Amino acid sequence: MGGIHDDQPDAESKPLHVLIAGAGIGGITAAIALRQQGHHAEMFEQSKLSQETGAAIHLATNCNGLLRRLGFMAEDIGGVECTNVVEYLPHNGQVKYQVPVKKLGASLWAHPWHLVHRAHLHTALKEMAVSPDGKGPPAKLHLASRVQRIDAANATIVLTDGTEFQGDLVIGADGVHSKSRASISGGDLKAFDSGKSAFRFMVPTQKLESDLKTAPLVKRGALSMWIADDRRVIMYPCMNNTMMNFVLIHPSVESQADVGDEGWQETGSKDRMLAIYQSFHESVRAVIEKAEEDIKVWKLLDMDKMPTFVHERLALLGDAAHPFLPHQGQGGGQAIEDAIALATLLPLGTLRQDIPERLRLYNECRYERSHKIQDFTRTAGKDAAELAAEGKKLDMMEYQKYNFGHDAYDFARGKLQVLLNSKDSTVRFRGPLGFGVSPGPRRPLGMSNLPPLVQTDPETFQTLSVHFKSSRTYLENLLPPNFAFTSPGTLATASLSCTTLNGMAWLAGGGYSPCGLYIHGIYFTQHDGSKVYGSYLAVLFENSADPIITGRDELGMPKLYCEIDAGVVGDNASVSLAWRGTRFCQFNISGLATPQPASSPPEPIQQTPPPPPSEQGQFWHRYIPAVGEPGKSDADYIVFSPHPASTAGGDAVSTTTRASKNASLAFDKGSWQTLPTLHHAATSLSEMPIYGIEEARFVKGVGVDDFSGARRIE
């Protein structure tokens, strides 16, 4: 399975050096994701990782899918898929309700909800981060390395022994008692007692199944709950259903004698548990009796909201940013979401100077969501009396839909692309917009964070054109308002020009043929009375859908599809336009030869009208009909594209030119049956008078004008 980004980076992309304070689940997940991006991650863990927590953890669908994207499968470490959620009445043991979450989730969630042993998860993720095997450079892990302070401006961390490390950015993943937090203005917050504590312990499933009192409670894959007014018991399996994990949440004051300052590692008392839950059904008390010596108790800590998760080159994640109460099993999941979102915003090739901006985007991605789930969790953990006093009602399905219905990777990647697009002046959008920037001739890849295509062969063109005289009045009917001819005569010049393009980078080296009708010797009068001179593109036939779409959407060119067959044999050439075998245009050229330099014209004997101004570029009419409003438009204006010599997009260079006066041009209107999509154009063209051929040309060269200088003229 692929990693976070499978796009091929630029060979010269420089990896970032990322320092991570803390090697818990969030910090290690960040290290894996950054490693798979090609970055160098270095973790600093204050413990020796010798006292792994003997407890289980939820990998709900929202975070489980992210780990699966990294290549981690919970099933491989004995993860149990959650199949049902069962709530029992605490005092008589009867079932209050049962929800088949696996069955319901099959049509809602893309990934399973797994229940795993926390220590096994941590060990497996640590191996993925530091192993020499795997994608990207292995992360480094420093144990017994307590972070004393962080310099967010310089991405520096200082350990308690005075050792200093500097990177490109620092991730503060050092838990609820974070030292990193103080490096953010207004972030020197301390966690406080929420008023509840929790016992935790594990019991072998077989031990429960062998007792008639507890055996009925064992439902493989089920998360079971007994919820009283101010206390509750949670039970769920892990380790391939061989162990049952228990969390007993209760008022802190009732276990205060057992709780010190050791966090998760305080030893709890079985007798005290039995006393606290003496009113619960005998089956629950029988479960508590089976708890062995490894009983832990800890205060459930909460914290006020941080003003932000980031500052300069520092980003917080997990409990360092937003400590979670356990009531929805989302604490670890939100740390994983943080880690993946942050890594996604830092693909290989990210410049060091861009890091503060990327971290602000990370804050935008994570701040609202993590705090909203925090609020859901606080509400879910309130006593019945508190909820009644506040007029609140639990809606666990609403909470679950919000919690589970999010992919932090896809969300962050979408946000990153919006940011990159906003900085790229070459970005061109066209429908469908949901997939991002569209590639095209003016946008070879359409992705700001990807390298350009390697152009191994040059783009080439081969143009056959015929210039002819026609009726000025006929051609005027093809012009929009505000256009006029420079000559007052009844004759005007037009041309039909057919080009064969090859080696196009945006078409992976392929090509296509455009064939356009151009009206020459015209000008457009602007609102201020000034005139712009050029030729007018009346219609452009093309034989490929991709350039038709890009040309219509991005440039507004009047393009139509047809089959185009153009060829040169010796001194002769021909062009044929057809639709599914029905030809409607043919022009032939014979006697092509290299043109001779023109001799100097004789001095005029009498005064003649001055020659018309030179054409400055091409015009065409952009017209987009309004949806559902016949006769109305969403776009209706003139586009002007200066000649390539005056634009950055003009790279065409002629290498061969041959000309001839011997040419013929004919149009056939066909019928609606033979030309159903082109009959309107073919009929009009067949009525165009042709009063003589002025010249035909064959031009061959390299480079192609991409019309990137085209603009709306008014």
Side-chain angles (χ1 to χ4, degrees):
M1 181 174 289
I4 288 296
H5 280 294
D6 289 326
D7 304 318
Q8 293 299 314
D10 188 338
E12 297 182 358
S13 296
K14 183 179 179 181
L16 299 174
H17 182 199
V18 185
L19 308 180
I20 304 174
I25 288 173
I28 288 182
T29 301
I32 297 169
L34 289 163
R35 168 189 181 169
Q36 292 188 0
Q37 298 271 55
H39 300 305
H40 297 291
E42 196 165 1
M43 296 176 284
F44 301 85
E45 169 58 37
Q46 65 179 354
S47 74
K48 296 181 180 179
L49 297 182
S50 59
Q51 293 184 332
E52 294 297 335
T53 302
I57 185 174
H58 294 253
L59 292 182
T61 178
N62 56 299
C63 65
N64 201 15
L66 300 175
L67 293 180
R68 292 166 97 83
R69 188 186 291 274
L70 294 178
F72 171 83
M73 306 296 285
E75 302 93 317
D76 294 342
I77 61 166
V80 176
E81 185 171 0
C82 186
T83 58
N84 294 279
V85 173
V86 185
E87 183 176 343
Y88 297 89
L89 295 171
H91 305 305
N92 62 22
Q94 294 180 357
V95 174
K96 182 178 180 180
Y97 68 81
Q98 179 168 289
V99 180
V101 291
K102 179 180 179 179
K103 182 178 179 180
L104 294 176
S107 61
L108 293 174
W109 319 122
H111 306 287
W113 174 3
H114 275 109
L115 308 166
V116 302
H117 194 287
R118 189 183 191 97
H120 295 176
L121 172 65
H122 188 272
T123 299
L125 293 178
K126 180 179 67 175
E127 179 64 18
M128 286 183 67
V130 303
S131 171
D133 301 323
K135 183 179 179 182
K140 294 181 180 179
L141 175 59
H142 302 273
L143 298 178
S145 299
R146 186 184 295 270
V147 174
Q148 179 64 35
R149 60 183 175 85
I150 291 173
D151 181 346
N154 296 304
T156 301
I157 67 171
V158 180
L159 304 182
T160 52
D161 65 3
T163 308
E164 184 174 315
F165 296 83
Q166 184 172 24
D168 295 306
L169 73 148
V170 177
I171 297 175
D174 46 347
V176 67
H177 300 296
S178 169
K179 290 286 187 180
S180 307
R181 208 182 287 140
S183 298
I184 293 178
S185 178
D188 192 12
L189 303 176
K190 303 297 182 184
F192 53 82
D193 184 359
S194 67
K196 293 291 174 67
S197 292
F199 292 102
R200 54 181 168 82
F201 58 89
M202 302 185 81
V203 178
T205 304
Q206 187 177 16
K207 190 174 181 180
L208 296 173
E209 290 176 328
S210 63
D211 187 328
L212 293 178
K213 289 183 179 179
T214 57
L217 303 181
V218 178
K219 293 180 172 60
R220 293 172 182 262
L223 186 154
S224 302
M225 302 179 292
W226 294 260
I227 300 178
D229 289 342
D230 64 350
R231 63 203 66 207
R232 61 191 65 184
V233 173
I234 313 295
M235 175 182 84
Y236 55 89
C238 63
M239 297 174 61
N240 288 321
N241 281 298
T242 62
M243 295 293 288
M244 285 290 178
N245 181 73
F246 291 87
V247 181
L248 284 66
I249 299 172
H250 57 279
S252 293
V253 66
E254 297 186 31
S255 61
Q256 191 168 354
D258 294 335
V259 180
D261 298 322
E262 295 301 317
W264 282 55
Q265 298 304 323
E266 294 287 355
T267 300
S269 162
K270 182 190 295 188
D271 290 340
R272 201 175 308 280
M273 278 198 297
L274 287 168
I276 291 172
Y277 290 92
Q278 61 181 329
S279 65
F280 274 48
H281 189 256
E282 62 176 350
S283 60
V284 178
R285 298 199 306 273
V287 166
I288 296 174
E289 286 281 6
K290 297 185 185 304
E292 299 176 351
E293 296 302 318
D294 190 23
I295 301 170
K296 302 297 181 184
V297 62
W298 82 103
K299 289 181 180 179
L300 303 183
L301 301 179
D302 203 348
M303 192 180 78
D304 291 330
K305 186 183 293 187
M306 288 283 293
T308 177
F309 296 160
V310 302
H311 178 57
E312 295 183 315
R313 297 182 177 276
L314 168 66
L316 304 180
L317 65 74
D319 282 353
H322 43 67
F324 265 79
L325 298 170
H327 306 300
Q328 290 191 103
Q330 279 288 325
Q334 289 308 298
I336 291 169
E337 283 195 13
D338 289 344
I340 297 299
L342 182 54
T344 302
L345 297 172
L346 299 169
L348 187 61
T350 299
L351 301 178
R352 193 175 193 275
Q353 60 263 33
D354 292 337
I355 289 173
E357 182 179 51
R358 298 294 176 87
L359 298 190
R360 290 192 294 271
L361 185 59
Y362 161 73
N363 191 70
E364 181 182 329
C365 289
R366 299 299 305 150
Y367 192 83
E368 180 181 351
R369 174 171 166 79
S370 58
H371 283 133
K372 188 170 184 177
I373 295 177
Q374 262 191 329
D375 289 340
F376 286 165
T377 300
R378 292 181 182 115
T379 301
K382 287 182 181 293
D383 296 340
E386 289 181 277
L387 290 172
E390 296 174 6
K392 292 184 178 180
K393 187 176 181 180
L394 287 179
D395 188 343
M396 297 306 294
M397 289 305 296
E398 177 194 355
Y399 298 168
Q400 188 183 72
K401 288 176 183 177
Y402 183 82
N403 296 350
F404 288 10
H406 181 81
D407 188 304
Y409 167 77
D410 288 334
F411 186 79
R413 192 165 192 190
K415 288 286 189 180
L416 175 61
Q417 194 56 54
V418 171
L419 174 67
L420 296 175
N421 291 345
S422 71
K423 295 177 170 296
D424 190 340
S425 61
T426 69
V427 162
R428 293 174 183 265
F429 285 101
R430 50 186 168 82
L433 295 179
F435 301 103
V437 180
S438 300
R442 288 150 297 280
R443 184 70 181 163
L445 274 180
M447 293 289 285
S448 301
N449 59 327
L450 296 180
L453 284 173
V454 177
Q455 184 73 29
T456 56
D457 297 316
E459 296 179 337
T460 63
F461 69 91
Q462 180 174 292
T463 299
L464 291 167
S465 62
V466 56
H467 287 246
F468 58 93
K469 290 291 187 181
S470 185
S471 162
R472 189 191 78 176
T473 305
Y474 171 87
L475 296 176
E476 280 178 336
N477 291 331
L478 302 180
L479 295 173
N482 298 323
F483 279 96
F485 282 90
T486 57
S487 170
T490 59
L491 290 176
T493 300
S495 66
L496 192 67
S497 178
C498 180
T499 299
T500 300
L501 302 172
N502 279 304
M504 307 295 288
W506 74 283
L507 293 176
Y512 65 99
S513 296
C515 187
L517 174 65
Y518 298 88
I519 301 171
H520 300 282
I522 54 99
Y523 63 87
F524 178 80
T525 303
Q526 302 187 89
H527 293 318
D528 62 2
S530 61
K531 295 178 173 61
V532 183
Y533 296 86
S535 59
Y536 179 79
L537 174 61
V539 63
L540 186 62
F541 298 102
E542 288 183 345
N543 61 355
S544 177
D546 290 315
I548 290 175
I549 292 170
T550 61
R552 278 191 172 192
D553 286 358
E554 295 180 13
L555 301 174
M557 284 182 163
K559 295 190 175 188
L560 295 173
Y561 171 80
C562 76
E563 298 149 6
I564 299 176
D565 183 17
V568 179
V569 179
D571 297 337
N572 302 319
S574 65
V575 174
S576 174
L577 308 184
W579 189 87
R580 296 189 178 180
T582 298
R583 188 172 61 193
F584 64 91
C585 175
Q586 176 78 37
F587 74 81
N588 299 300
I589 307 172
S590 60
L592 286 167
T594 302
Q596 299 300 315
S599 58
S600 299
E603 291 293 328
I605 299 174
Q606 59 185 21
Q607 186 175 3
T608 60
S614 299
E615 294 182 353
Q616 299 166 294
Q618 292 179 24
F619 300 97
W620 57 82
H621 184 192
R622 179 180 180 88
Y623 183 87
I624 300 176
V627 177
E629 298 183 81
K632 294 185 179 181
S633 65
D634 283 338
D636 186 355
Y637 56 84
I638 302 303
V639 177
F640 180 70
S641 178
H643 278 320
S646 60
T647 68
D651 298 323
V653 177
S654 300
T655 58
T656 301
T657 300
R658 290 192 285 167
S660 175
K661 299 287 187 180
N662 301 318
S664 63
L665 172 63
F667 293 94
D668 187 336
K669 67 179 180 180
S671 67
W672 283 111
Q673 288 73 30
T674 58
L675 296 171
T677 64
L678 296 176
H679 185 58
H680 63 306
T683 298
S684 179
L685 291 172
S686 70
E687 296 170 353
M688 179 172 57
I690 299 175
Y691 294 135
I693 303 297
E694 289 190 323
E695 184 183 52
R697 280 186 173 255
F698 166 67
V699 180
K700 186 177 180 180
V702 296
V704 176
D705 179 22
D706 63 8
F707 295 99
S708 58
R711 57 183 172 83
R712 178 174 177 164
I713 197 166
E714 284 192 340

